[in-house]
Amino acid sequence: MSSVAVLTQESFAEHRSGLKDIKITGGLPEDEAYIPTYLEAFPPLPDKGAPTDRPGEQAGAWSKIRPIKASVITQVFHVPLEERRYKDNSQFGEGEEAKVCLDIMQKTGAHIELSLAKDQGLSIMVTGKLDSVMRARKEIVARLQTQASATVIIPKEHHRFVIGKNGEKLQELELKTATKITIPRSDDPNANIRITGTKEGIEKARHEIQLISAEQDKRAVDRISFEKAFHPFIAGAYNRLVQELSQETGARISIPPPSLPKDEIVITGEKEAVAMAIAHIRATYEETKRKTTTISVEVKKSQHKYIVGPKGNTLQEILENTGVSVEIPPLDSASETIILRGEPDKLGPALTQVYAKAKSVIVGEVIAPPWLHRFIIGKKGQNIGRITQQLPKVHIEFTDGDERISLEGPTEEVEQAKAQIQEIIKDLIAKMDYAEINIDQRFHRHLIGKNGANINRIKEQYKVSVRIPQDSDRCGLVRIEGDPQGVQLARKELMDMAQRMENERKKDLIIEQKFHRTIIGQKGEKIKEVRDKFPEVIIVFPDQQQKSDIVQLRGPKNEVEKCAKFLQKLIVELVENSFSISVPIHKQFHKNIIGKGGANIKKIREETNTKIDLPTENSNSEMIVITGKKSNCEAARDRVLAIQNELANLKETEVSIPAKLHNSLIGSKGSLVRSVMEECGGVHIHFPAEGSGLDKVTIRGPADEVERAKRQLLQLAEEKQVSNFSVELQAKPEYHKFLIGRGGANIRRVRDRTGARIIFPSPDEPEQESITIMGKEEAVQLAQKELEILIKNLDDVIEDTMVVDPRHHRHFVCRRGQVLRELAEEYGGVAVSFPRTGTHSDSITLKGPRDCVDAAKKRIQEVVRDLESQVSVEVVIPQRYHRAIMGLKGCKIQQITREHEVQIKFPDRDESAAQEPATQENGDTDIVPRKCDIITITEVWIDFIPFPSFALPVTPKALVPVTIDVEVPYDLHRYIIGQKGSGIRKMMEDYEVNIWVPQPEQQSDVIKITGQVTSVERARHGLLERVKELFKVTLSVDPKFHPKIIGRKGTVISQIRKDYDVNVQFPDKSDEQQEVIVISGYERNANEARAAIEQLVAELQEMVSVDIRLDRRVHARVIGARGKAIRKLMEEFKVDIRFPQPGSEDPNKVTVTGLPENVDNAIDHLLNLEEEYMLTVTETETMAAYMKPPSKAMGIGGTDDDNRVLAKGFVVRDAPWNAQGNKAPDMSSAEEFPTFGSGVAPKQTSAWGPKK
């Protein structure tokens, strides 16, 4: 089995390190760089079969190279028959053994192969990475091999060494031996270790455990106790003596630290080493105890820490210099006695040092009001930082709530720091003041405002600091600190705000939720106007999901009342304006109500101030809904009805029917009255509101139909009073239209013969198959019998054919078969099939009920006769005008087809006919019109509407656009166009024309207007009026201010243009007068815009620009991601900050522009940021330099000599190309390195071998 070697970065480095072990000698001096020979740098590979002097030794330098370790290994082991757990050999490879192996392979990732030996033993080969193989082996032994167990006894104290750190040793041992090792717990007195596994594994594990125990038997641990006072003499200054003793003996010596009240010293190691260390320590102790004596001195408790020093270094220093140990009482002890222990002649110098250290530091105090402390410290510790930088040995401590400031350090420096702090306090007291006001805690969040808006405004406006306690403090004391005048003004404003809030009142208004959206307006525009009118009132609308009508007002009492009255008035207006009435208008008159281009409906809406909604064209509804004030709605209704009455011979009459009969006459869901209206030519019948008690029923429609409807209603009312019998009949919905007949003819005949009323269901009723018959019992039964016969006949389905000229087929199948669908609906669902296109057949098939098929055939013959009698007219209009004639989405052509009831067909677009034909000259009429220019107009039904031959052909021609030229001075063009073309776009929309302005480089005065004749004339008049209104004013402004006037992305100048409705033009780069700005628009607007720009320039002139040096390494952090940080900083300080461009002469120069005070504040902030960021930059660069590989560091920061050495590259001696007659190959030579495909004859044979 072969192993796979994976070459990793680590193994390659280990492999190459073998070359470094070769000892190289030469005649060069050691201080010079050694240049290896070619054979040393590139040793030849050993010959495959060459014999060596010694068989066990490899030849050459390659013998020193360490082999690369294989990352994939293979292990083979054997399980005897008697130890196999599964001995069923009938199905080897398919039983439990195979399942176990598959499970182990999935768990460990190793590959396992099983084979059966002749002795029925099991051979297992495991391949994979080392750790996978070891885990797989352990699993295999545990699950495929019978397990034995044994115990091994070692001392209890050795168990922890078998377990190892975090159990790592035990896990390694189990993997190595493929066993399970159980060690008793530390609190279990049993010392037996149990091993479970194969016999071989148990023996290996027992041997390993005994080796670990034997190793520990050689070690010893001993503890000796000496007085704590003598520990410093044993350890020595800075623990040097005990470290030297550990190195000398090899034992580990642990002395408890001074803070731990223990006197036990622990020595660990080999038994002999431990014994030597104990003997040395005892000798030291006895000698020190014999020679030393003690003295006690009193030192103030506050000075003890200066004798101890940082981390006890001062005590160690005294011990090192004098050999005397200084014992300090614990911190929690009140004792001030210090004991010095040492040789008598050394106690004097030690005592001198103790007193010197105790008096080296003094403690001073400065008294200052606690509220001044943070100002003494300064912003980000600036003030106190300056003092500590000048006097680094002084420690200054502020205690919260205490007026004392503690200073600690050398006497002279403490006095200097004290004087500086007192000077700062004196200066602050002269400039600063504070005030405290008690404001109820419930008002604190209102003082702060949304996102701190209120409190930040007060801080910025009065230059003060306002401290509001946290909610958890349950305190109402608000503290104001700062300039005395600002403090008083801020105090007054906060008191006024608190007073207003105390007077605040809440009021709930009941407003129906349906009006909430209207009051708020689109994107909150209307409620914003209300809030602007009552800025002190907070208006809260409920969430839509709450379904609540309560709107809450909160604010000053008077303002809340005013706002409530205003909203109530607004609600009354909304209620008045939400009145609506429905007006029934015959469908054919809806287009007349709308008018040409919506002119009529628009006029009625504007003059009556109402909203008028018409049903869609596809809807069967005839109701027009009018919404607004009641009086306005009634006026609009009268005007709409007047249009209808004017167009048709309509009549309105009233009939008196007892109110108690109204519901029965209306019928279920209006079915009965609807049937009357449909029978009587679509008249409108209006019953009074339920509960009104009125008897008057209004009927409106054509005069004849109104009379019919009146008679039927009276007849129905009489029948209802006398007798009322009804029955229901079931029929398929598709039969209903056929039963009704065209124009209701069939059902009318049945009703006339029987006297019963037959009501069909409306489309929105759930029961579509039920037909209701109402009237006298005899009449109803007779009508029921006739209808049952008709329905029975309809169930008799037949198939028939008829002949229709193929040229008319398209009429029936076009528009997705609309005509066929209408036939199927009208004639009981009859199916009509036309032959496929291209078959040239004139036979069509009809399938359905016999009566329906006959009626459908008759109807198709009528349609064909109408089609044959249709007239078409061709109108020649050049193709380029077709789009203009159609209008946007075909609106213009649709209007013509509706008004004249014709079909208009445009030809397909002919791209090849892009060039227009030659124009006619001298009345030449022989030019044949192109096919793509011919528009066909076809009359729809000639039987009913006479063809308007005198008017129709002219109508499309009237839509052909014309173009006129208008003279407008070239210098006014830009003002007519407006900002980003807004002016010219508005004119084109208003006049429905296209306006073409010449390009600037043409400098032409001609503007072209294209559109319909009337629109073009209106546009020309409007354009000339616009030219007359234009007023220009110029303004001279220094060009350096132009970018500021324009603003970031044009925000400032865009706002000026919007506010004053003017056009502001800045000079082009090529213009001679770079300072002239031109403003055009209405005279008053232009002057106001000029004043606004002059005011802006005046503010800009007050600004100053200051250059500061900011280390370029912090620029990126100051700017922030995508400039977010610098934009926030510029907004905060109201300044402009410019950083140098890449490649600038001074990359550290930053320019700050703004008002002087703002510039100073911004510069201070930038310098603070630089100081803060530079700490991080320095740390990063230091770490980068430390982490950088030596080779890279040398290449970057080395000397010129180093760089020259590196530049030489890799050099060897005695190379083949250096031999006499040879030279290194020239890489630029085409002969040495020929191009592929070009043969070059060899010149000579070199050390590299013959050229091929």
Side-chain angles (χ1 to χ4, degrees):
M1 175 67 70
S2 62
S3 297
V4 179
V6 179
L7 186 62
T8 63
Q9 190 174 358
E10 293 78 6
S11 60
F12 181 69
E14 185 179 351
H15 166 72
R16 288 297 303 268
S17 65
L19 290 173
K20 297 177 184 176
D21 297 336
I22 304 171
K23 187 175 180 181
I24 301 171
T25 59
L28 293 173
E30 290 182 0
D31 57 344
E32 291 187 14
Y34 177 75
I35 301 175
T37 65
Y38 179 77
L39 290 176
E40 289 170 346
F42 304 100
L45 293 170
D47 293 337
K48 187 172 182 180
T52 56
D53 295 339
R54 282 177 284 183
E57 182 181 344
Q58 291 184 353
W62 294 98
S63 62
K64 299 290 184 179
I65 299 175
R66 298 177 189 175
I68 298 173
K69 295 177 182 176
S71 63
V72 178
I73 65 167
T74 300
Q75 280 194 6
V76 180
F77 52 95
H78 188 72
V79 179
L81 175 64
E82 59 273 12
E83 292 184 13
R84 282 179 60 187
R85 179 163 290 182
Y86 306 104
K87 298 180 181 178
D88 183 11
N89 299 330
S90 59
Q91 291 181 334
F92 178 72
E94 297 181 4
E96 289 298 322
E97 288 174 340
K99 292 179 182 177
V100 169
C101 288
L102 282 172
D103 185 44
I104 294 171
M105 284 195 288
Q106 288 176 355
K107 284 183 180 177
T108 62
H111 178 68
I112 302 172
E113 292 183 13
L114 296 179
S115 60
L116 201 63
K118 290 181 179 179
D119 61 356
Q120 299 302 309
L122 198 63
S123 293
I124 303 168
M125 183 167 67
V126 186
T127 306
K129 292 187 177 179
L130 179 62
D131 60 334
S132 300
V133 169
M134 297 304 288
R135 284 190 288 116
R137 181 170 176 262
K138 182 183 174 184
E139 288 278 335
I140 289 167
V141 168
R143 297 172 66 177
L144 294 183
Q145 199 165 357
T146 56
Q147 303 292 295
S149 65
T151 57
V152 59
I153 302 174
I154 61 171
K156 188 81 174 178
E157 58 268 21
H158 294 172
H159 285 190
R160 63 191 182 93
F161 298 103
V162 176
I163 296 171
K165 186 178 180 181
N166 297 326
E168 291 175 359
K169 183 71 176 175
L170 181 61
Q171 290 176 8
E172 183 187 346
L173 192 59
E174 287 181 335
L175 282 174
K176 188 176 178 182
T177 61
T179 58
K180 173 67 178 172
I181 302 171
T182 308
I183 298 175
R185 295 172 60 88
S186 57
D187 54 359
D188 188 351
N190 182 17
N192 292 345
I193 296 176
R194 185 177 182 81
I195 309 169
T196 306
T198 63
K199 291 179 182 178
E200 182 185 357
I202 289 171
E203 289 302 321
K204 285 183 180 178
R206 180 188 283 120
H207 176 67
E208 291 289 339
I209 291 169
Q210 288 172 345
L211 281 178
I212 292 169
S213 180
E215 181 72 23
Q216 296 306 316
D217 281 337
K218 297 178 184 178
R219 300 179 65 80
V221 178
D222 211 341
R223 294 172 172 82
I224 54 175
S225 296
F226 296 116
E227 296 171 46
K228 186 83 174 174
F230 292 97
H231 285 190
F233 298 102
I234 296 169
Y238 301 105
N239 288 328
R240 286 186 188 133
L241 293 179
V242 77
Q243 289 172 4
E244 289 173 3
L245 182 60
S246 291
Q247 290 177 359
E248 183 181 339
T249 61
R252 182 181 174 188
I253 304 167
S254 177
I255 299 176
S259 58
L260 199 64
K262 280 188 177 182
D263 56 5
E264 187 180 69
I265 299 173
V266 181
I267 303 103
T268 310
E270 302 286 341
K271 291 181 179 178
E272 294 178 4
V274 169
M276 287 173 61
I278 291 173
H280 189 283
I281 290 170
R282 286 187 187 279
T284 303
Y285 166 70
E286 290 170 359
E287 183 183 357
T288 305
K289 190 173 182 180
R290 188 180 68 254
K291 289 183 179 181
T292 58
T293 184
T294 61
I295 59 170
S296 300
V297 293
E298 297 292 324
V299 178
K300 287 183 181 180
K301 189 76 176 177
S302 61
Q303 294 178 322
H304 286 191
K305 59 183 177 182
Y306 309 126
I307 298 170
V308 175
K311 297 182 181 179
N313 284 341
T314 304
L315 293 178
Q316 297 295 329
E317 184 184 337
I318 294 171
L319 180 61
E320 184 179 32
N321 294 338
T322 64
V324 174
S325 170
V326 181
E327 298 171 22
I328 306 292
L331 290 174
D332 54 0
S333 171
S335 173
E336 294 185 341
T337 304
I338 293 177
I339 300 172
L340 284 77
R341 188 183 303 274
E343 297 179 13
D345 58 337
K346 295 180 180 177
L347 288 174
L351 185 59
T352 305
Q353 286 194 31
V354 167
Y355 278 124
K357 296 294 182 184
K359 294 180 180 179
S360 63
V361 176
I362 66 164
V363 177
E365 288 182 352
V366 178
I367 305 299
W371 66 273
L372 273 183
H373 286 190
R374 61 195 192 91
F375 298 104
I376 295 169
I377 295 168
K379 192 175 183 181
K380 294 187 179 179
Q382 284 180 346
N383 298 343
I384 216 71
R386 278 197 293 268
I387 296 172
T388 52
Q389 283 176 4
Q390 294 172 9
L391 310 168
K393 294 182 180 179
V394 177
H395 175 69
I396 305 171
E397 186 176 344
F398 292 82
T399 306
D400 193 20
D402 190 355
E403 62 182 10
R404 288 178 299 177
I405 302 170
S406 301
L407 292 89
E408 187 180 291
T411 308
E412 292 182 3
E413 293 192 5
V414 165
E415 291 300 326
Q416 290 180 37
K418 192 173 179 180
Q420 290 186 31
I421 291 174
Q422 286 172 340
E423 187 66 31
I424 292 171
I425 293 168
K426 183 180 176 182
D427 184 48
L428 287 173
I429 289 174
K431 294 194 304 185
M432 304 277 296
D433 192 8
Y434 79 95
E436 291 181 342
I437 51 176
N438 205 337
I439 297 175
D440 196 321
Q441 196 175 13
R442 60 197 171 95
F443 299 143
H444 287 186
R445 63 190 185 93
H446 301 297
L447 292 179
I448 295 168
K450 190 175 182 181
N451 296 327
N454 295 344
I455 206 70
N456 288 337
R457 177 185 59 77
I458 292 170
K459 286 179 180 179
E460 189 175 343
Q461 185 175 348
Y462 302 117
K463 309 297 181 189
V464 294
S465 172
V466 183
R467 303 183 70 182
I468 297 176
Q470 297 290 329
D471 291 342
S472 56
D473 295 344
R474 299 190 179 279
C475 174
L477 202 64
V478 177
R479 188 182 182 91
I480 310 165
E481 301 164 355
D483 178 68
Q485 186 179 357
V487 166
Q488 293 306 316
L489 292 170
R491 180 179 180 277
K492 183 176 181 301
E493 181 162 346
L494 287 173
M495 291 293 288
D496 290 344
M497 288 174 70
Q499 187 68 29
R500 284 200 303 272
M501 282 183 277
E502 284 179 359
N503 295 332
E504 189 180 79
R505 183 188 168 188
K506 286 185 182 178
K507 185 169 184 177
D508 292 341
L509 283 181
I510 306 298
I511 302 174
E512 288 185 60
Q513 195 177 36
K514 65 181 180 179
F515 295 126
H516 290 186
R517 188 185 292 273
T518 310
I519 295 170
I520 293 168
Q522 191 176 11
K523 296 182 180 178
E525 291 175 357
K526 292 186 178 178
I527 198 64
K528 186 176 181 297
E529 292 175 6
V530 178
R531 285 175 175 149
D532 290 343
K533 191 169 185 176
F534 304 99
E536 297 180 13
V537 180
I538 298 170
I539 306 171
V540 182
F541 284 87
D543 190 19
Q544 285 186 351
Q545 297 175 352
Q546 294 178 359
K547 306 287 184 185
S548 173
D549 295 338
I550 298 174
V551 177
Q552 192 180 80
L553 308 181
R554 190 175 69 249
K557 183 177 179 181
N558 296 335
E559 291 296 311
V560 166
E561 290 297 331
K562 290 179 184 176
C563 184
K565 288 179 181 177
F566 179 83
L567 286 175
Q568 285 168 347
K569 184 180 176 183
L570 190 65
I571 293 160
V572 170
E573 291 178 0
L574 284 174
V575 171
E576 288 180 358
N577 290 332
S578 62
F579 178 81
S580 67
I581 54 175
S582 298
V583 185
I585 300 293
H586 291 284
K587 196 78 174 177
Q588 66 264 32
F589 298 129
H590 283 196
K591 61 182 180 182
N592 304 99
I593 302 293
I594 296 170
K596 189 174 181 180
N600 293 349
I601 197 76
K602 186 177 179 183
K603 186 178 180 183
I604 296 172
R605 283 170 178 162
E606 289 174 356
E607 292 181 359
T608 61
N609 194 23
T610 55
K611 180 184 176 186
I612 303 175
D613 294 318
L614 284 86
T616 58
E617 287 186 9
N618 300 329
S619 171
N620 293 324
S621 173
E622 295 185 338
M623 290 295 179
I624 295 178
V625 181
I626 305 173
T627 309
K629 289 185 179 180
K630 186 176 181 180
S631 57
N632 294 344
C633 289
E634 290 172 350
R637 180 189 61 188
D638 294 341
R639 293 185 61 169
V640 169
L641 290 173
I643 294 173
Q644 179 180 244
N645 295 338
E646 185 180 337
L647 292 169
N649 180 23
L650 298 182
K651 177 184 176 183
E652 184 174 312
T653 187
E654 290 181 350
V655 58
S656 182
I657 297 174
K660 63 181 181 180
L661 297 177
H662 288 185
N663 284 341
S664 58
L665 289 177
I666 293 170
S668 175
K669 296 182 181 178
S671 57
L672 185 54
V673 76
R674 189 170 55 250
S675 69
V676 174
M677 289 192 290
E678 288 173 357
E679 280 186 34
C680 302
V683 297
H684 294 287
I685 302 173
H686 177 69
F687 284 83
E690 189 176 358
S692 64
L694 298 175
D695 295 340
K696 299 294 183 184
V697 177
T698 306
I699 308 171
R700 186 173 63 254
D704 296 341
E705 301 297 339
V706 166
E707 288 301 322
R708 280 181 61 202
K710 182 178 177 180
R711 286 196 301 271
Q712 286 199 25
L713 278 178
L714 291 171
Q715 183 182 349
L716 281 170
E718 185 181 347
E719 289 175 0
K720 293 288 183 184
Q721 286 178 323
V722 175
S723 62
N724 186 19
F725 183 77
S726 66
V727 71
E728 285 191 355
L729 194 64
Q730 300 295 316
K732 293 179 182 178
E734 55 265 28
Y735 295 165
H736 289 189
K737 281 196 175 183
F738 180 76
L739 292 173
I740 295 168
R742 193 172 184 186
N746 295 346
I747 210 68
R748 195 181 299 117
R749 281 197 298 270
V750 174
R751 201 199 69 186
D752 291 343
R753 283 198 298 269
T754 63
R757 175 162 298 279
I758 303 165
I759 303 170
F760 288 84
S762 62
D764 55 348
E765 288 185 24
E767 289 294 331
Q768 288 293 305
E769 294 190 356
S770 295
I771 301 172
T772 305
I773 308 171
M774 301 174 65
K776 294 179 181 180
E777 187 174 356
E778 299 81 9
V780 168
Q781 289 175 353
L782 190 58
Q784 181 182 4
K785 193 178 290 185
E786 285 198 24
L787 285 176
E788 283 175 347
I789 294 169
L790 285 172
I791 292 167
K792 187 177 179 182
N793 292 338
L794 289 175
D795 289 334
D796 180 17
V797 177
I798 64 163
E799 186 172 322
D800 198 359
T801 59
M802 66 179 294
V803 175
V804 175
D805 195 318
R807 62 194 173 94
H808 299 314
H809 289 191
R810 188 173 180 278
H811 172 79
F812 290 94
V813 298
C814 69
R815 288 175 293 173
R816 299 181 181 179
Q818 184 179 344
V819 176
L820 294 181
R821 283 199 304 274
E822 290 173 355
L823 282 170
E825 289 174 5
E826 190 172 350
Y827 298 104
V830 65
V832 184
S833 301
F834 280 79
R836 292 181 179 277
T837 307
T839 57
H840 304 292
S841 172
D842 57 0
S843 177
I844 65 170
T845 305
L846 295 88
K847 185 176 182 181
R850 183 180 300 277
D851 293 346
C852 295
V853 167
D854 293 341
K857 283 174 68 175
K858 189 177 179 182
R859 178 63 185 150
I860 291 171
Q861 288 168 353
E862 290 176 3
V863 172
V864 171
R865 281 199 302 273
D866 291 339
L867 288 173
E868 288 175 348
S869 61
Q870 280 184 358
V871 177
S872 295
V873 176
E874 293 182 347
V875 181
V876 178
I877 297 175
Q879 179 179 284
R880 65 176 183 274
Y881 299 127
H882 289 187
R883 181 172 293 180
I885 293 169
M886 290 180 189
L888 183 64
K889 296 182 180 179
C891 63
K892 294 179 181 178
I893 210 67
Q894 286 172 9
Q895 185 176 346
I896 294 174
T897 57
R898 279 199 305 269
E899 288 179 359
H900 299 279
E901 296 187 8
V902 295
Q903 291 179 348
I904 300 177
K905 185 177 184 303
F906 283 82
D908 294 334
R909 187 171 181 80
D910 187 0
E911 298 295 342
S912 62
Q915 298 294 329
E916 293 295 334
T919 56
Q920 296 180 9
E921 295 182 3
N922 301 325
D924 185 8
T925 58
D926 294 337
I927 296 177
V928 179
R930 297 177 305 168
K931 188 176 180 181
C932 63
D933 295 340
I934 299 172
I935 298 174
T936 305
I937 305 171
T938 305
E939 176 198 13
V940 182
W941 300 114
I942 198 148
D943 287 353
F944 302 101
I945 302 173
F947 178 69
S949 57
F950 60 89
L952 189 58
V954 182
T955 306
K957 289 188 175 180
L959 298 176
V960 176
V962 298
T963 302
I964 63 169
D965 295 342
V966 182
E967 292 280 342
V968 176
Y970 163 72
D971 56 343
L972 297 180
H973 287 189
R974 63 174 65 176
Y975 310 117
I976 290 167
I977 293 169
Q979 186 182 6
K980 295 182 179 178
S982 59
I984 202 77
R985 267 199 309 276
K986 188 173 184 305
M987 289 186 69
M988 288 194 287
E989 289 171 3
D990 291 346
Y991 299 115
E992 296 181 353
V993 295
N994 183 43
I995 301 175
W996 179 81
V997 180
Q999 295 293 328
E1001 57 268 15
Q1002 295 179 7
Q1003 296 192 356
S1004 171
D1005 294 341
V1006 177
I1007 293 178
K1008 295 182 181 294
I1009 305 174
T1010 303
Q1012 293 181 29
V1013 178
T1014 54
S1015 300
V1016 165
E1017 281 303 316
R1018 288 191 300 114
R1020 185 179 70 83
H1021 181 71
L1023 181 60
L1024 295 175
E1025 286 295 320
R1026 173 78 174 146
V1027 171
K1028 289 177 185 177
E1029 290 171 357
L1030 282 175
F1031 177 81
K1032 285 198 298 183
V1033 63
T1034 58
L1035 182 66
S1036 183
V1037 177
D1038 193 324
K1040 70 179 181 181
F1041 295 131
H1042 288 190
K1044 298 290 183 185
I1045 297 170
I1046 294 169
R1048 183 179 175 82
K1049 295 184 179 179
T1051 52
V1052 178
I1053 199 65
S1054 295
Q1055 191 62 39
I1056 292 173
R1057 287 169 174 154
K1058 184 179 177 183
D1059 291 346
Y1060 300 103
D1061 192 22
V1062 295
N1063 184 31
V1064 183
Q1065 192 69 32
F1066 287 84
D1068 293 332
K1069 292 182 179 179
S1070 57
D1071 291 352
E1072 294 181 2
Q1073 295 180 328
Q1074 286 294 307
E1075 70 281 354
V1076 176
I1077 298 174
V1078 180
I1079 307 168
S1080 62
Y1082 293 113
E1083 184 173 359
R1084 190 183 70 179
N1085 294 355
N1087 288 328
E1088 287 177 356
R1090 176 180 179 175
I1093 293 174
E1094 285 174 344
Q1095 184 181 352
L1096 186 60
V1097 171
E1099 292 174 3
L1100 291 172
Q1101 286 173 341
E1102 292 179 10
M1103 293 184 179
V1104 295
S1105 290
V1106 179
D1107 293 339
I1108 60 169
R1109 292 185 62 76
L1110 208 66
D1111 195 299
R1112 59 189 170 85
R1113 290 174 291 179
V1114 304
H1115 287 191
R1117 285 196 65 182
V1118 173
I1119 294 168
R1122 298 184 180 179
K1124 187 176 180 181
I1126 198 65
R1127 279 199 301 275
K1128 185 178 178 182
L1129 198 147
M1130 289 194 289
E1131 288 172 6
E1132 182 181 349
F1133 291 98
K1134 295 182 174 59
V1135 295
D1136 183 63
I1137 303 172
R1138 296 291 173 187
F1139 287 84
Q1141 295 293 329
S1144 174
E1145 293 180 2
D1146 187 357
N1148 298 324
K1149 187 176 79 171
V1150 176
T1151 305
V1152 186
T1153 306
L1155 295 174
E1157 186 179 358
N1158 295 345
V1159 168
D1160 292 341
N1161 292 336
I1163 289 173
D1164 289 344
H1165 185 74
L1166 285 171
L1167 294 175
N1168 288 339
L1169 287 177
E1170 181 192 29
E1171 185 179 348
E1172 180 184 338
Y1173 294 158
M1174 279 305 295
L1175 293 173
T1176 310
V1177 170
T1178 308
E1179 288 175 7
T1180 306
E1181 289 184 350
T1182 305
M1183 183 60 69
Y1186 175 75
M1187 296 297 291
K1188 195 174 292 179
S1191 60
K1192 291 186 180 180
M1194 189 184 298
I1196 295 169
T1199 62
D1200 293 341
D1201 294 338
D1202 295 336
N1203 290 335
R1204 276 197 297 274
V1205 170
L1206 289 173
K1208 291 170 66 178
F1210 183 69
V1211 180
V1212 295
R1213 294 179 291 116
D1214 303 333
W1217 53 81
N1218 290 334
Q1220 189 173 3
N1222 292 330
K1223 64 181 181 67
D1226 182 7
M1227 289 170 46
S1228 62
S1229 169
E1231 294 179 354
E1232 302 288 351
F1233 294 92
T1235 307
F1236 287 127
S1238 60
V1240 179
K1243 287 179 67 179
Q1244 64 178 29
T1245 304
S1246 69
W1248 295 96
K1251 296 178 181 178
K1252 296 180 181 179

